[in-house]
Amino acid sequence: MDMEFSAEDIAFRDEVRAFIADNHPDMSAKKELGEEMSKEDFLSWHRILHAKGWVAPAWPKEYGGTGWTATQRYIWSEETARADCIRLMPFGLSMVGPVIYAFGTPEQKAHFLPRILSGEDWWCQGYSEPGSGSDLASLRTTAVRDGDDYIVNGQKTWTTMAQHADWGFFLVRTDKDAKQQEGISFLLIDMKSPGVTVRPIITLGGEHEVNEVWLENVRVPVSNRVYEENKGWTCAKFLLAHERTGIAGVASSKRGIERIKDIAKSEQDGDKPLISNAFFKRKIAELQIDLTALEFTELRSLAGEAAGKGPGPESSLLKIKGSEIQQRITELALEAVGHYGAPYFRGFGEGDNEHPIGPDYAHRAAPTYFNTRKTTIYGGSNEIQRNIIAKMVLGL
Amino acid sequence: MDMEFSAEDIAFRDEVRAFIADNHPDMSAKKELGEEMSKEDFLSWHRILHAKGWVAPAWPKEYGGTGWTATQRYIWSEETARADCIRLMPFGLSMVGPVIYAFGTPEQKAHFLPRILSGEDWWCQGYSEPGSGSDLASLRTTAVRDGDDYIVNGQKTWTTMAQHADWGFFLVRTDKDAKQQEGISFLLIDMKSPGVTVRPIITLGGEHEVNEVWLENVRVPVSNRVYEENKGWTCAKFLLAHERTGIAGVASSKRGIERIKDIAKSEQDGDKPLISNAFFKRKIAELQIDLTALEFTELRSLAGEAAGKGPGPESSLLKIKGSEIQQRITELALEAVGHYGAPYFRGFGEGDNEHPIGPDYAHRAAPTYFNTRKTTIYGGSNEIQRNIIAKMVLGL
Amino acid sequence: MDFTYTETQDMIRDTLSRFLADSYGFDARQKMINSETGRDPGIWSALATELGMLSAPFAEEHGGLGGGHVENALIMEEMGKVMAIEPYLQTVVIGGGALKAVGGAQADAIIPSIIGGETTIAFAYAEPQGRYDLANVRTTAKADGAGYVLNGHKGVVYCAPWATHLLVTARTGGGHRERNGVELFLIDANLPGIVRRDYPTVDGNRASEIYFENVAIPGDALLLGGIDLIEHIVDNATVAVCAEATGVMAKLHEGTLDYAKQRQQFGQPIARFQVLQHRMVDMFMEVEQAKSMTLYATLHLDKPASERMAAVSQAKAKVSRGANFVGQNAIQTHGGIGITQELAIGHYFKRATMIENQFGSADYHYERFERIVIDEAN
Amino acid sequence: MDFTYTETQDMIRDTLSRFLADSYGFDARQKMINSETGRDPGIWSALATELGMLSAPFAEEHGGLGGGHVENALIMEEMGKVMAIEPYLQTVVIGGGALKAVGGAQADAIIPSIIGGETTIAFAYAEPQGRYDLANVRTTAKADGAGYVLNGHKGVVYCAPWATHLLVTARTGGGHRERNGVELFLIDANLPGIVRRDYPTVDGNRASEIYFENVAIPGDALLLGGIDLIEHIVDNATVAVCAEATGVMAKLHEGTLDYAKQRQQFGQPIARFQVLQHRMVDMFMEVEQAKSMTLYATLHLDKPASERMAAVSQAKAKVSRGANFVGQNAIQTHGGIGITQELAIGHYFKRATMIENQFGSADYHYERFERIVIDEAN
């Protein structure tokens, strides 16, 4: 038992570090102001990684993965977070991609996987419906067979980044009479199909991240169904387990804590920097220690997986603690900036880059805090995660 | 709207203060060591107050109350707490006494009330049973009519101070076929009756406060039933509401906080007293502020009662917050005494007054902390109190 | 001891509550804050003229109702319930409070026009480096003949775009962070040399950065009282904000209860889930305690300074934490819909969040309380 | 990176776990701690001779198994699961650890007798005024010829009534609270001038106040290394106590689960109530995090001092709070029965409570962590 990296691992880490330093696009200005990334911003890093062959470390090598060891993948996530690299959109790479290579037909694999890797297709996820919330299986969107097509009708919501999406993967009901989790199928839908309408939902900080998606008599070829009809829940469950990898968000929370420290060194509290305030310092320490606990719990869990145990329901712990830490980071940032949490900049017009009010790091502190309340709600709310642990781990 | 005392109130306060100073028995040595009070200790102050006519401020004047205003009663409880007066046992004065004057026969009133006031009878409460816990109405002790007597069989538990008791008031089932809360009667039982057995339960700190009470074919005259047969639940509910008055324990928690401050001034933390440690100080401040919130919530509730609203289910709030504060006080005391929380003194023999190990205030810090976990459990656990608020106040 | 409201106080509450129910629905509020100027000035006129609401805390000699802190708290609570963006806090509680404290010709001159709705005031006290320390003032007021010349930068001045007057703290002497030398000035908002940058705030208000560049002000702009006066009016304001918070928190709780009773998940209203029930009970307890603390502090506002400050800090510390708890749990219980702009709940959450740190965070007030009540007793 | 146990480690755990299951049931333990001497010395002999357990962390040259911190953690966790009162922490982890660090003739002389079970050690480091500060030492060791003379008072020395040797911190120079001059001595427990007052502890152990009155000790009693050595062995001990805590906490959680599944209220097992379910989930998460932090700190014990101290303080701060949470909620979920002496659960709670502050409270360790990781980075 030890926690040292081997010489090979260290060489790998240095290689990764150098690659990032040499190739990552400079987004510092936009990031410091907390500005939203554009589609092109996201894709710029995606394309660079694709060219290098590093865009999908978690995929099997045969479909375009890197073939890295678990330790290498850990190093990769550490290093990209350390360098605050642009986040890769998960909908293709972490969500539908694995479903397709696990359950798809040879044709589906051949067509979709390369386009996910290259970034040619931007994906979105059509799961939640108004009214379904945490009770995902209560979905009501229907797909009725009509020759070689399904005719899909219904409404999805909380569809992240659907405004950019070329394709979406949807859970739809193909058998109305079956029990809740049965009778659901997993469809790939071209978002440019007639009858698909995407409407923005504006969240508390003024962000446009999520959307409503309306499906009105949308014609979807049966060949775009993944896995068997009425067995879509199997894909959904697979995806859920897969989605939880990295759900703890340790690496990015580490960055977040460093950022709070930087802010607290700049902000004054009387004649000292805020970071010298005993109580503010304590909150940072609590975060940092809780994050260590989360990190080592994740490492123990990964070690368990490596030993063949597979990601279990205890990954709900990672979701719960990870999301709580993310929220506390944004809360602390807002506390740190004092009065300058109040100004709201959404009023500025396109192309106006002047943000003269308060320090740059204060700019989006409040909206980010508001928006980050979502982390304990989405991906299975923390209440649902506790229910899962109670049932699956504790046998209650 | 104001919070000033009138000149009359101030005169009353001075009178009370002087009376306590002149008459309260000196218990300081025993208290500082956290020693348990004996039956005689409790009764000493009870008898002094009875002689003065001040032993039952909450009772109607006709039955021996003081006829004080609500403000005077508030002042009384403040002053007795401020002076850390010996607690009066509630079982007679606050519990069965009010039930008897509200529901009892003229004979019951004439016989029992004066003996409660004088302290001649020591009472205990026979409510809880093994297995009943928070679900009080599930009780199984039976009373079967036999001529002018009931024959009582069953087992009660958590019976506080039953080892000293002359009389007990018991909830017993007189109709097995009725629904849970119906079919219960309220009996007064002479604890010296044949068939009554009291067995000690020793709690975590080594205290003997509570007992099991076994009732085996105990003969109880029907004339000792209060109110109608099978309507005992009415008495129980009345008592419960009555019991909640003062349940917040504000005045004694104020004393508790002062005591923590004294300890924290004596204990050293490096080159300063512990009270100068920012985090210890913060915990005291949090307690003190939470106690102010509790006190003013109680005062608002009393004002509502004075305006004829009666004690409502929101008194559950007073129980919840009051008990949590009591626990935090004992927790902070234990933290304050550092290493000297560990020594355990129960091993000393009778009459051995030497306690040379560690400071006196450390003596019972740990046992008191352990024992005080009970406050969120008894009198309707805090979970039950939250259920009550959810149902009765929030309509959930 | 008497915790009952007078008939006049009940009347003020009822009148205001009815008026706001009619004029300040969620949609109406959203329309106001999204308009060019960010408000509907007609509301303020109506509060002044139709309802006579701005007269509540002023003496009868100035045309007021003869009320005081209790009236301010009542009105602020109602304002909180509808998330009103009206400058009552700044104009009546803070500006009016300063004038009442100073009295004399300055009070006689301006209070009637506050009551009439013609004068609105913004309070320019915070500075970028100052955090919540009222003596951390770099803005200077240099004596110049009979008047003064102001120079400096005040940050995040709520309601400034709408103000006819500014209440400004500035230093006539003493070093940076010294209590001595900080004074209060009430000046015309449109004097030459005052530069304003206006912007919306995250909680639906408007605010400004204000730069004073050699602004000449008259000698009678000085409201005599120094840092003691400033602390007193900020304590009044802090309690007013606590009162507003009780309105905001009550609405967050009420909205959450309503939603939980309606929202179906897993075949039943989510209000049936015990975890959510207990959470809503905990929210209820925070609301009740916030009310208690606001009452407590309100009744201490005219006590000697150290008692007053200890009481106000107790209240604000507790209310800040309570607002945080109630706001976060309201959103969590709503789920995704709580994070959208569509429902009122998210906007109450935003206001509750800003209240947390307004006039000092929980930590700031804990420390002030400790200094007065624990340190000084040692 | 490798988080798997070796076969030997698995064997140690299994052997010990089986032995303790047989010999250390709740009733057996209660009988021991209520006996005159407060223990059953046969257990210690069996651990030494039958199981060879005391050899686990020692080098093969001393007759050990060649293990280290991981073995200590494993064993302490098992000890925690049965609330063992054996002096493994004091004798093997602390005393043995000090001897391993010092090496040489002193190690050669004593380690074999530790392994054999003949030598038991108590650690006399705390002083009444010292709280958790290891340099806050008033006990003096004055050089006298080839040896020293000890004077002073050590408080709450766990397991001292059973010890053949005392490991004592004392000052050979430097002022009160100075790091410089504090040294570690391993001495015979029965030297003339050593006065002991023995007493039981609230968590079922025995401890003593120890007074040194001109106790003459030989020169080779000094284990060279000063405060740095003391900090190192206390860090080892702190992590061992964290490991013990994971055993205690796991049992508190497990006991609560079992009870909640059986206990009927309102016509169903209380485990059906969602509020209790989520509480038990929160307890589970604290147990898991305590395990993670113990692992984390265990793997940092041989790192450079500042890294080691930061890691140990992280672990202890988290474990202290976790032990508090799990203990309190175990009792609350049990209700009244949890507060009696009858069930094991209350005794686990008492041990968990004492662990909270052993070798430093959560606050102490937060502050140490902040000093190393936040202050020094500025």
Side-chain angles (χ1 to χ4, degrees), chain A residues 129-136 138 158 200-207 212 267-271 274 277 279-280 283 327 331 334-345 347-348 354 356-358 366-367 369-377 381-384 387, chain C residues 125-133 136 153-156 158 176-177 197-203 209 211 263-267 273 275-276 279 324 328-329 331-343 346-347 349-351 353-354 356-357 359 361 363 367 370:
Chain A
E129 298 186 3
S132 74
S134 290
D135 186 7
L136 191 58
S138 69
W158 312 125
I201 299 175
I202 305 302
T203 44
L204 281 186
E207 306 83 1
E212 292 180 327
E267 284 286 319
Q268 282 301 109
D269 178 44
D271 57 350
L274 179 61
N277 175 301
F279 296 95
F280 198 86
K283 287 176 208 175
Q327 291 184 338
E331 191 168 350
L334 178 57
E335 183 181 336
V337 302
H339 300 290
Y340 285 96
Y344 180 61
F345 287 87
F348 289 126
E354 193 191 20
I357 295 160
Y369 167 69
F370 299 143
N371 189 250
T372 305
R373 302 317 301 170
K374 72 187 174 193
T375 61
T376 51
I377 293 170
S381 73
N382 284 17
E383 291 87 350
I384 295 290
N387 286 348
Chain C
Y125 72 105
E127 299 193 359
Q129 82 293 342
R131 230 170 165 75
Y132 311 116
D133 179 1
N136 193 324
H153 168 200
K154 293 290 179 177
V156 197
Y158 266 66
H176 174 53
R177 299 185 59 235
R197 288 194 62 113
D198 301 343
Y199 45 83
T201 64
V202 294
D203 51 352
E209 299 299 289
Y211 303 88
R263 170 73 170 167
Q264 301 274 329
Q265 293 272 272
F266 304 103
F273 291 105
V275 160
L276 300 188
R279 182 189 294 164
N324 179 288
Q328 291 186 352
N329 282 293
I331 299 305
Q332 182 67 24
T333 307
H334 274 78
I337 194 80
I339 305 175
T340 70
Q341 302 268 21
E342 287 165 39
L343 292 197
H347 299 265
F349 170 55
K350 293 200 277 189
R351 180 63 196 134
T353 301
M354 289 298 112
E356 274 186 59
N357 295 333
F359 300 119
S361 62
D363 274 351
E367 289 192 60
E370 290 159 8

Side-chain angles (χ1 to χ4, degrees), chain A residues 139-145 150-152 171-178 182-187 225 228-232:
Chain A
L139 64 89
R140 285 183 297 196
T141 295
T142 57
V144 177
R145 192 72 174 260
Y150 289 106
I151 311 292
V152 181
L171 291 181
V172 297
R173 191 163 293 288
T174 35
D175 181 351
K176 282 186 191 174
D177 303 323
E182 296 158 25
I184 290 175
S185 297
F186 190 100
L187 294 191
R225 190 192 68 227
E228 298 170 37
E229 191 172 81
N230 297 332
K231 299 279 186 195

Side-chain angles (χ1 to χ4, degrees), chain D residues 246-278:
Chain D
T246 63
V248 171
M249 289 164 73
K251 281 295 189 177
L252 282 162
H253 182 236
E254 188 186 306
T256 303
L257 273 181
D258 289 347
Y259 184 79
K261 286 174 186 173
Q262 287 161 28
R263 171 73 170 167
Q264 301 276 327
Q265 292 271 272
F266 304 103
Q268 56 183 327
I270 62 171
R272 293 263 175 80
F273 292 104
Q274 197 189 26
V275 160
L276 300 187
Q277 290 187 349
H278 282 207

